[in-house]
Amino acid sequence: GENVEQHPSTLSVQEGDSAVIKCTYSDSASNYFPWYKQELGKRPQLIIDIRSNVGEKKDQRIAVTLNKTAKHFSLHITETQPEDSAVYFCAASRGGGADGLTFGKGTHLIIQP
Amino acid sequence: GAVVSQHPSWVICKSGTSVKIECRSLDFQATTMFWYRQFPKQSLMLMATSNEGSKATYEQGVEKDKFLINHASLTLSTLTVTSAHPEDSSFYICSPGGAGANVLTFGAGSRLTVL
């Protein structure tokens, strides 16, 4: 089955700086790669996703890049703000809504004021 | 993504009792429902996948006789934790899926504490 590795487990950055979280996956059939933000005690919230026919996607301060050959994808957050502090999870699936997600272990992002 | 209603949001029960968690897909015909479990400070792990009108498929290490899943309609799936024990204490989250589910969203989750 799919295996998703995520690094780092904790990331502390100064407010206004950029944060990068990296994930690798093992199943070459995976073609859907979402990123979720989870605040303490709450459900994961989708913040951005990318499909395998696209190399990069951007939504305001958040961007995701995908390298299918190397089987890795990354989340980039620019101009970080205190409200970006949370746990971020990457995930992978074969897409199509019929397959569940395999999650990375999560990154605790801490924005230092 | 689908609008999902999950209940109860939290439940405390005694060891040996059973607990039922409901997940409703309010605006999407969920032919598939994914059930995840999240232990404190850990990631989400897929427990089982249920398809409307058929038996659920369980991930390795998940006891099908302990975690009973019913998916009788396109809008409702239930997870029953039978004979719950303290080690079953966790955050259980549902996610509707199936054809047409381009984005996977989650229910609010059910926090189970077994005393």
Side-chain angles (χ1 to χ4, degrees):
Chain A
E2 174 69 279
N3 181 49
V4 177
E5 299 281 344
Q6 182 173 348
H7 298 280
S9 56
T10 303
L11 178 60
S12 181
V13 301
Q14 289 293 124
E15 182 179 350
D17 287 351
S18 296
V20 180
I21 303 170
K22 298 182 179 182
C23 289
T24 60
Y25 62 98
S26 61
D27 185 355
S28 56
S30 289
N31 57 16
Y32 177 60
F33 308 93
W35 287 88
Y36 292 89
K37 175 182 180 182
Q38 188 177 33
E39 297 177 341
L40 191 62
K42 297 187 177 180
R43 79 183 88 185
Q45 296 277 6
L46 179 72
I47 56 171
I48 197 166
D49 58 8
I50 192 167
R51 297 181 189 275
S52 60
N53 57 347
V54 176
E56 183 174 358
K57 184 176 178 181
K58 189 173 181 180
D59 182 3
Q60 298 183 340
R61 297 188 296 112
I62 296 172
V64 57
T65 58
L66 171 64
N67 183 328
K68 276 214 75 177
T69 303
K71 296 200 191 75
H72 67 69
F73 55 113
S74 301
L75 177 71
H76 304 252
I77 305 175
T78 59
E79 300 171 20
T80 53
Q81 300 167 5
E83 53 265 36
D84 293 331
S85 294
V87 179
Y88 291 80
F89 292 98
C90 63
S93 85
R94 294 186 174 188
D99 287 293
L101 295 167
T102 300
F103 284 85
K105 291 192 174 182
T107 296
H108 186 193
L109 177 61
I110 301 166
I111 307 301
Q112 304 278 6
Chain B
V3 177
V4 189
S5 174
Q6 184 174 345
H7 295 278
S9 55
W10 59 270
V11 58
I12 300 173
C13 69
K14 292 183 179 180
S15 187
T17 60
S18 295
V19 173
K20 180 185 281 189
I21 298 169
E22 287 191 353
C23 183
R24 294 181 184 274
S25 179
L26 302 181
D27 63 347
F28 175 72
Q29 303 281 287
T31 54
T32 301
M33 189 69 76
F34 302 109
W35 286 94
Y36 296 86
R37 178 168 58 182
Q38 185 177 32
F39 291 110
K41 296 187 178 182
Q42 294 189 24
S43 186
L44 287 83
M45 294 289 290
L46 181 66
M47 297 176 61
T49 301
S50 69
N51 294 299
E52 185 256 339
S54 62
K55 289 185 178 180
T57 302
Y58 292 80
E59 296 299 307
Q60 192 172 11
V62 178
E63 300 175 56
K64 61 179 174 65
D65 294 329
K66 183 171 187 60
F67 299 98
L68 302 180
I69 292 174
N70 183 284
H71 191 167
S73 78
L74 293 175
T75 58
L76 174 64
S77 178
T78 61
L79 167 68
T80 301
V81 184
T82 63
S83 186
H85 290 284
E87 58 266 29
D88 299 322
S89 297
S90 188
F91 193 46
Y92 293 87
I93 314 175
C94 63
S95 177
N102 292 319
V103 172
L104 296 175
T105 55
F106 294 91
S110 299
R111 188 164 303 282
L112 171 63
T113 300
V114 185
L115 303 177

